[in-house]
Amino acid sequence: NIVSTGTANWDDLAGSGPVPDRLHGFDMVLGADIIYDSKHAHSVLGSVRRLLRGGCAQEAILVTGEPEKREGILDLDAALGIDSGKVPDDEELVGKDGDLCWTLRRLSAK
């Protein structure tokens, strides 16, 4: 198996225009500890939508901080239609965002 990586500027990808060729052909988009405020939540979610809908990757995984400690996570949850206060630890929530399906599971230190 071959592992290839690439980097992306979430703000650039959230906008319009073509996705750079170097970002095509990946199995997965992975983002970890990247959402701190509302702007981050919207640019990351917009980028993920574009990459998945554009066929650049088959799935995306975002590892985030806790909503109690990061304002942007509350905004990400709201954009996905999730009530942050009703996400049980160690349980998955599943939903749809247009034609995209998502799964949310909070990581806990327990």
Side-chain angles (χ1 to χ4, degrees):
N1 293 337
I2 297 174
V3 176
S4 298
T5 63
T7 59
N9 181 319
W10 301 108
D11 291 329
D12 291 345
L13 282 176
S16 60
V19 174
D21 288 341
R22 65 182 176 75
L23 296 179
H24 287 266
F26 289 94
D27 294 321
M28 179 185 303
V29 174
L30 178 63
D33 199 29
I34 54 176
I35 299 174
Y36 291 86
D37 59 33
S38 180
K39 181 182 177 211
H40 296 149
H42 294 286
S43 63
V44 168
L45 188 55
S47 297
V48 166
R49 286 176 177 141
R50 285 194 69 208
L51 291 167
L52 295 176
R53 288 186 176 133
C56 298
Q58 298 172 24
E59 67 178 320
I61 297 174
L62 299 177
V63 180
T64 69
E66 299 172 53
E68 298 83 22
K69 297 179 181 176
R70 300 253 175 95
E71 169 189 337
I73 303 307
L74 295 172
D75 293 313
L76 178 67
D77 288 353
L80 293 172
I82 299 168
D83 180 348
S84 293
K86 295 187 179 181
V87 179
D89 285 344
D90 298 325
E91 288 188 31
E92 290 184 347
L93 292 180
V94 179
K96 288 190 69 111
D97 176 25
D99 57 339
L100 301 177
C101 298
W102 57 262
T103 302
L104 175 84
R105 182 172 180 169
R106 296 271 191 247
L107 300 178
S108 69
K110 295 177 186 175

